[in-house]
Amino acid sequence: MAHEHLDDVKRYLLDLQERLCDGLDRVDGAGFREDSWTREEGGGGGRSRVVENGAVFEKGGVNYSHVYGATLPPSATAARPELAGRSFHAVGVSWVLHPHNPHVPTSHGNVRFFIADKPGEAPVWWFGGGFDLTPFYPVLDDVRHWHRVAKAACEPFGKDVYPRYKAWCDDYFYLKHRDETRGVGGLFFDDVNTGGFDECFAFQRAVGDSFLDAYLPIVERRRETPFGKRERDFQLYRRGRYVEFNLVWDRGTLFGLQSGGRTESILMSMPPLARWEYAYAPEEASAEARLEAFLTPRDWLDETPLPPDSQE
């Protein structure tokens, strides 16, 4: 049995996919190619939209999917074992953007809705999602803008919401084997189902609707910043961290693969190029060394300056 509001969520997510692609295409111009697919191992499918070798984005995608089946995958029940064995619906939009210019940050986001059913019991539903920013040559004003927009999206739902989901983002997008965050964070939430469906759905919409306001001003400010081989090599090196997180730690990647989703769409999040270098260390006081100060969780809305060697 599907949740009574599943169609409402699906309509919103399909519209969000349209609006995200339209907004991103306004700064890129290459256009997104669309690829619809059906799930081979059970019900559902999706609509993938991908841009490659555009004016701004070397690779990017905005994917919609709705999959369902008889049993929730292990990645979805690891934190909630009481849901094991239930049938499920999972619907969401996910996006990732890998720009050409190393001075334009990579960014990722998603919003999703789950329903877990068991005969004779009321369906269990929850929302999840968020967005995060991964700069390679970070600018403090950009990071603060990003977090101001994230905070503004959360404020109508309580003063504790932004700090709670900001901290969860810092914890989630953390590469334990590298002892560093993937970037400068943003928002991450899961298992949101308190306060009633309408309140939770409104929060999901607020997060999804705020992404372009958070990201596009940064793209516009940095897209023309000059760069050369040194910056490009560093970008590719740091993209390796992105790959490591997605393949080692990301629950969304695991859920997609375990649920029989379309591999091309799931791995759309990977950058087109990346590199690894043994025992790399940036030159002391270099532009590349500045990044280290941004890979530790902090209150980005605190006006206290960062250490001098982390500034531009």
Side-chain angles (χ1 to χ4, degrees):
M1 181 181 71
H3 190 270
E4 59 181 321
H5 296 298
L6 178 60
D7 286 342
D8 294 333
V9 178
K10 289 174 66 174
R11 278 191 293 271
Y12 165 72
L13 292 173
L14 285 165
D15 179 66
L16 176 64
Q17 185 190 36
E18 295 279 355
R19 290 185 285 116
L20 289 174
C21 290
D22 289 347
L24 294 165
D25 197 44
R26 283 197 295 272
V27 301
D28 187 276
F32 285 77
R33 83 168 185 264
E34 183 172 306
D35 188 10
S36 296
W37 54 276
T38 56
R39 181 168 169 254
E40 294 181 2
E41 298 180 18
R47 185 173 75 180
S48 298
R49 290 184 173 174
V50 176
V51 60
E52 293 180 296
N53 297 315
V56 173
F57 301 115
E58 188 174 3
K59 182 184 177 187
V62 183
N63 288 347
Y64 165 84
S65 66
H66 174 207
V67 299
Y68 48 92
T71 306
L72 273 165
S75 60
T77 60
R80 303 181 68 176
E82 72 277 10
L83 300 181
R86 288 180 177 243
S87 63
F88 74 97
H89 283 261
V91 59
V93 170
S94 62
W95 58 95
V96 65
L97 300 153
H98 294 288
H100 286 285
N101 192 319
H103 295 280
V104 181
T106 287
S107 189
H108 154 268
N110 71 83
V111 283
R112 56 191 182 272
F113 180 57
F114 280 83
I115 306 165
D117 276 323
K118 184 176 181 179
E121 297 186 16
V124 177
W125 58 265
W126 68 95
F127 289 93
F131 49 64
D132 63 287
L133 192 72
T134 306
F136 308 121
Y137 291 91
V139 177
L140 184 56
D141 286 346
D142 293 347
V143 177
R144 285 177 170 160
H145 161 78
W146 176 261
H147 281 274
R148 281 193 295 268
V149 174
K151 182 180 180 182
C154 295
E155 281 188 330
F157 303 92
K159 295 295 183 184
D160 66 322
V161 174
Y162 166 73
R164 182 153 42 99
Y165 293 154
K166 186 268 185 191
W168 199 349
C169 188
D170 290 336
D171 290 342
Y172 181 77
F173 291 105
Y174 187 78
L175 286 83
K176 299 178 181 66
H177 62 292
R178 297 288 191 179
D179 194 24
E180 64 185 31
T181 57
R182 187 169 81 173
V184 297
L187 300 171
F188 181 89
F189 60 96
D190 205 358
D191 301 319
V192 171
N193 64 359
T194 57
F197 175 84
D198 290 343
E199 178 84 356
C200 296
F201 187 24
F203 175 66
Q204 185 199 59
R205 297 196 306 269
V207 173
D209 294 348
S210 67
F211 174 76
L212 292 178
D213 291 337
Y215 188 54
L216 292 188
I218 300 172
V219 174
E220 294 283 17
R221 287 197 290 262
R222 307 301 161 200
R223 60 181 295 175
E224 301 299 335
T225 304
F227 68 93
K229 184 178 184 301
R230 173 177 177 148
E231 291 82 7
R232 176 64 168 169
D233 285 348
F234 185 65
Q235 177 196 45
L236 298 184
Y237 170 73
R238 290 301 309 181
R239 280 181 177 176
R241 298 289 206 271
Y242 206 91
V243 172
E244 290 173 20
F245 180 85
N246 279 17
L247 293 182
V248 176
W249 302 110
D250 187 60
R251 295 204 319 245
T253 302
L254 284 175
F255 175 85
L257 295 173
Q258 290 175 355
S259 64
R262 182 173 181 256
T263 301
E264 283 296 315
S265 298
I266 296 163
L267 298 183
M268 175 275 300
S269 62
M270 297 301 179
L273 295 171
R275 61 186 287 266
W276 282 261
E277 181 175 333
Y278 181 75
Y280 169 82
E283 295 178 14
E284 188 175 349
S286 66
E288 292 74 24
R290 288 181 52 249
L291 178 63
E292 184 176 351
F294 288 79
L295 299 181
T296 300
R298 67 177 69 240
D299 179 2
W300 294 108
L301 300 181
D302 183 352
E303 295 299 323
T304 303
L306 293 178
D309 60 359
S310 68
Q311 302 300 303
E312 287 188 298

